[in-house]
Structures are given as structure tokens and as C-alpha cells.
């Protein structure tokens, strides 16, 4: 049984920071591509950051480059999203996802097999 459990969301002022965590069970994250997605009210879900199997290569959507960092701790089977210099437009529900096929799609949500329930981030 696969579970992805996000934590670390909350409310923060603009230019503040948050670190999201996604603890995984039932999978070994080093063999999966893992991604962070977000969805704001009335908007489509968008990919934010991805880290590929092996944990070396990463991808970011343009709007967060230089501000967000995705990382993983294989001993804890957990991925993180460090978010700095937060902006109001970063607000939304953040989801963690796992791609067992390592498709390399980065931000194509259709290629991700498993999803967490999300954690709310509010910047205001």
C-alpha cells in the first residue's frame, strides 16, 4: 500500500519561507521520479519541481527557479520542497506525487501514479 503524506504547509507573509515534506511508504523514492505540484482555486494543477530517479537531476517551473529547491533524503524516504522568497501567487494546495515509470516528463501529471492529499500554502 503506497502512501505519500505531505506536511509543512501554512500561512506566511510575502518574502517568507516554508519547507514542505513528503514522507513516502510502500515505495523506495530513489527509484522513482518524484514531483511537487500545486493548485490554486480556480486554476489547473501545475508542476512546480521534480527530482528524478537517483536524486541527481531536477527540474523547476520557470516561476520558482532560484527560489524553490527540491531535495530528497533516501534514508527517511522523504522528499522536500524548500520555498524561499514566497509570493502571493505561490499560494495553493501543494501535492507530492510519484512516477514509477520514471518517464522523465517532469510536470505531466498524467505520468504520476501516486499522489498525496496535499498541504495548504497561503502567502499574504
Amino acid at each position: 500500500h503506497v502512501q505519500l503524506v505531505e506536511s509543512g504547509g501554512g500561512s506566511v507573509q510575502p518574502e517568507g519561507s516554508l519547507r514542505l515534506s513528503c514522507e513516502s511508504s510502500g515505495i523506495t523514492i530513489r527509484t522513482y521520479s518524484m514531483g511537487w505540484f500545486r493548485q490554486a482555486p480556480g486554476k489547473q494543477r501545475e508542476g512546480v519541481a521534480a527530482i528524478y530517479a537517483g536524486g541527481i537531476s531536477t527540474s523547476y517551473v520557470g516561476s520558482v527557479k532560484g527560489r524553490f529547491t527540491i531535495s530528497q533524503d533516501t534514508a527517511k524516504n522523504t522528499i522536500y520542497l524548500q520555498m524561499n522568497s514566497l509570493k502571493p501567487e505561490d499560494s495553493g494546495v501543494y501535492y507530492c506525487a510519484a512516477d514509477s515509470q520514471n518517464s522523465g516528463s517532469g510536470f505531466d501529471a498524467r505520468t504520476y501514479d501516486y499522489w498525496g492529499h496535499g498541504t495548504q500554502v497561503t502567502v499574504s
Side-chain angles (χ1 to χ4, degrees):
H1 178 60
V2 177
Q3 275 194 310
L4 305 178
V5 180
E6 303 95 336
S7 61
S11 296
V12 65
Q13 293 183 340
E15 296 303 313
S17 297
L18 285 172
R19 187 177 83 152
L20 306 183
S21 300
C22 172
E23 185 173 357
S24 307
S25 59
I27 63 171
T28 303
I29 63 168
R30 67 176 181 272
T31 65
Y32 281 65
S33 293
M34 304 292 295
W36 285 100
F37 291 76
R38 67 186 178 191
Q39 188 166 21
K43 294 188 177 181
Q44 287 192 330
R45 189 173 298 190
E46 67 166 345
V48 175
I51 186 165
Y52 302 103
I56 303 300
S57 297
T58 58
S59 295
Y60 298 92
V61 69
S63 60
V64 308
K65 281 183 179 178
R67 300 189 297 123
F68 289 13
T69 303
I70 188 171
S71 62
Q72 66 181 39
D73 183 335
T74 55
K76 295 182 178 180
N77 219 33
T78 298
I79 66 166
Y80 303 97
L81 186 68
Q82 177 66 45
M83 306 187 295
N84 298 328
S85 302
L86 282 161
K87 303 177 181 181
E89 52 264 42
D90 294 318
S91 297
V93 178
Y94 282 68
Y95 299 90
C96 170
D99 170 10
S100 64
Q101 300 302 311
N102 293 303
S103 63
S105 73
F107 304 136
D108 184 348
R110 297 170 298 177
T111 65
Y112 286 80
D113 313 83
Y114 305 108
W115 292 82
H117 291 295
T119 185
Q120 177 71 46
V121 172
T122 302
V123 185
S124 66

